[in-house]
Structures are given as structure tokens and as C-alpha cells.
Amino acid sequence: MRHARLFFMLIMMLFITSACSNSESVQETKPEPKASADSTKEIILATTTSTQDSGLLDVVLPPFEQETGIKVKVIAVGTGQAIKLGEDGNADVILVHSKKAEDKFIADGYGMNAYDVMYNQFLVIGPESDPSGIKGMSSVTDAFKKIADTKSIFVSRGDDSGTHKKELTVWEKSGIKPEGDWYLSAGQGMGATLKMADEKDGYTLIDEATYLSQKSNLKILLEGDETLFNPYGIIQVKSTNKPELADKLISYFVSNETQKLIGDFGKDKYGKGLFVPNAHKRQ
């Protein structure tokens, strides 16, 4: 009986040892989880609130992502902030609308591979009552002078965006430094600024795409002045560690197919395109 117990214990020990050995063998041969093949196929596009708020990017980017497998992470801020993201190396491509600031970005060594992409125009909008009497005027600088002279409410974006830069340029050309209770700074994006101007029954400067795509009681009072021309440029950030992906995105934006998408955007809903395509390599 004693021998039987010893034999049984010996068999059990052999069984346990074998099981542990098999378990270790399985663990050793178990494949390591693979990193996603697409984990590096993401780039950051720093752009303006107008391209985002108008809905343009919702139309233009999905075909690119589906075709290339590259995910585009969009950061929509003012042009000044978008350019700063590029300078700090926190974006791979920028799509903005302030030619002077864009040229400086390139001249300072932060950008390369720059293209014109599209343009639209800025509008001066305000209440239907038009307390400054600017409706029908053709000169935006003269209109700004009348707004200042009558101390009518004017709401500025005040956020160093392309729109804000354009507004400051107009005030400078008008020979006026805007200040006082009538001049309000929103410090926010175009959508929030439009809402504030609407609530205050005030005037503001707005890009055409955002105005047409957002609901507002404010009316277009001045348009067509060459000073209000609003070009957009796309630029590769020189410090990007994904230059091939950045180049693919830029090439996509200036391709014939995408330029057609841009030109057609808004026609079905507003009767006219919100942007005019004009892809052109910058020297």
C-alpha cells in the first residue's frame, strides 16, 4: 500500500512538471502584439476656423483619408495660432489666409512647398437698419471711417486670425485706431464673433464662406472691394517628421479633382461656390 502511494505521488509530480513545462512553452511561443500598421499614418493640419466652420473640410478630407489611409487630424484656430503651431513643430501642414504672415513663415525658415489653394472675399455685415449708412458704398476704408465717426458698434474677432489681421489692415488704411465703447473685441472664432455681432446689432468683418454657412440676422452691406480679397495658402512645415505624408496632402489639395470639389462646394445649397479654386505653386 505504501509503495502504491509513493507511485501515485510520483506520477502526479511528473504530470504537474509536464503541465508547467507546456505552459512555459506556450508563453514563449506566443507572438507579441503587433503595432498598428497605420499608427504612423496620421498628420496634423493646422487651419482656420473658416475652413472648418464652413464645412469644406468635411467634404474634402474624407476622400483623401479613404484613398491613402492617412488620417488627418485637424486643429482649427485663427491663422496666427495655426502659424504658431507650425513654428513650434506641432503641425505638419498649415492651411491659412494671411499672405503677409505666410510669406514671413516661409522667409523665417519654418515653411516650404507652398501653394495658393483657393480664395473668397471678406464682407462687411451689419444690422438692416445700418446706423452708419454704409450700404451701397464701394470703399471699405470709407465705410470703416463712417462706422468710427458714428461710433456704431463694431465687433472684432480680436484673436490674431486671418480675419482679424485683415480688419486691422483696413483700419490702418482708414487712418483710424479703433477704440472706445463702440469697438468690441470677441477674442473668439468667426462663428462666436458673428453671434456676438448679431446680438449687439453691430457691424463686423466676416469671410463669405462662414457668413453663407451660418444663420444670422445681419445683412451684407459692403462687398467687392479688392482690399477684401481673401486668398488661402497651404504650406508644408519644414520641421515635420512626416514629409512624404505632408507632400501627399498638399498634392491632393492642389489636384484637379480636389480643386473641382472646392469649386463646387456650396453651389447646391447657396447657389454659388463658397470658395474659388486657384491652385498655383508659389515661388
Side-chain angles (χ1 to χ4, degrees):
M1 192 71 179
R2 179 183 174 190
H3 290 294
R5 284 200 300 271
L6 287 172
F7 180 76
F8 177 77
M9 291 176 65
L10 181 60
I11 292 297
M12 290 298 295
M13 289 177 65
L14 287 172
F15 176 79
I16 292 170
T17 302
S18 175
C20 290
S21 176
N22 288 338
S23 175
E24 290 173 359
S25 176
V26 169
Q27 290 177 356
E28 288 173 0
T29 59
K30 185 178 180 180
E32 291 292 326
K34 293 182 179 180
S36 169
D38 293 330
S39 60
T40 60
K41 297 190 71 174
E42 177 180 278
I43 56 175
I44 297 174
L45 173 66
T47 187
T48 70
T49 56
S50 57
T51 58
Q52 179 84 309
D53 291 349
S54 66
L56 177 67
L57 297 183
D58 294 332
V59 170
V60 171
L61 290 181
F64 172 78
E65 294 179 329
Q66 292 165 12
E67 181 181 320
T68 64
I70 301 170
K71 173 66 179 174
V72 182
K73 180 180 178 182
V74 175
I75 302 178
V77 287
T79 284
Q81 291 172 277
I83 288 176
K84 186 68 167 63
L85 286 169
E87 291 174 348
D88 293 342
N90 293 322
D92 301 296
V93 176
I94 63 172
L95 174 61
V96 292
H97 61 134
S98 179
K99 187 66 164 55
K100 184 178 178 180
E102 293 164 39
D103 289 344
K104 186 175 187 302
F105 179 75
I106 295 168
D108 289 346
Y110 294 110
M112 57 184 288
N113 195 22
Y115 282 82
D116 290 329
V117 176
M118 59 194 182
Y119 67 88
N120 62 5
Q121 66 172 323
F122 287 110
L123 310 169
V124 180
I125 61 174
E128 192 168 13
S129 59
D130 187 20
S132 294
I134 66 170
K135 184 175 176 60
M137 295 181 68
S138 58
S139 167
V140 67
T141 53
D142 288 345
F144 270 37
K145 286 178 183 176
K146 289 195 73 173
I147 291 171
D149 288 344
T150 57
K151 291 184 169 48
S152 301
I153 295 294
F154 186 97
V155 181
S156 167
R157 278 186 61 164
D159 62 350
D160 197 35
S161 61
T163 306
H164 184 218
K165 291 175 185 292
K166 175 64 74 173
E167 177 217 320
L168 294 180
T169 298
V170 176
W171 285 120
E172 185 178 357
K173 286 184 176 181
S174 303
I176 295 170
K177 182 179 180 180
E179 54 188 3
D181 294 342
W182 60 274
Y183 185 74
L184 308 176
S185 178
Q188 300 186 68
M190 196 68 254
T193 302
L194 174 60
K195 183 178 179 182
M196 183 175 175
D198 208 341
E199 292 172 348
K200 299 286 186 181
D201 254 359
Y203 296 91
T204 193
L205 187 72
I206 189 170
D207 66 281
E208 187 176 29
T210 303
Y211 176 75
L212 292 176
S213 61
Q214 303 284 319
K215 291 182 178 180
S216 173
N217 293 316
L218 301 180
K219 308 299 180 183
I220 298 174
L221 300 176
L222 190 150
E223 60 181 321
D225 187 325
E226 288 185 5
T227 303
L228 298 178
F229 178 70
N230 182 31
Y232 287 76
I234 192 165
I235 307 169
Q236 178 180 323
V237 176
K238 191 175 283 189
S239 64
T240 176
N241 59 3
K242 300 174 183 178
E244 292 183 3
L245 304 190
D247 182 64
K248 281 185 178 181
L249 181 62
I250 291 173
S251 296
Y252 171 76
F253 263 93
V254 300
S255 69
N256 291 335
E257 294 79 8
T258 307
Q259 288 285 288
K260 187 176 187 309
L261 277 179
I262 291 171
D264 289 341
F265 176 67
K267 284 183 178 179
D268 57 340
K269 188 173 182 180
Y270 307 108
K272 63 177 295 188
L274 301 192
F275 299 93
V276 179
N278 70 328
H280 182 75
K281 177 76 172 177
R282 292 183 182 173
Q283 300 301 321

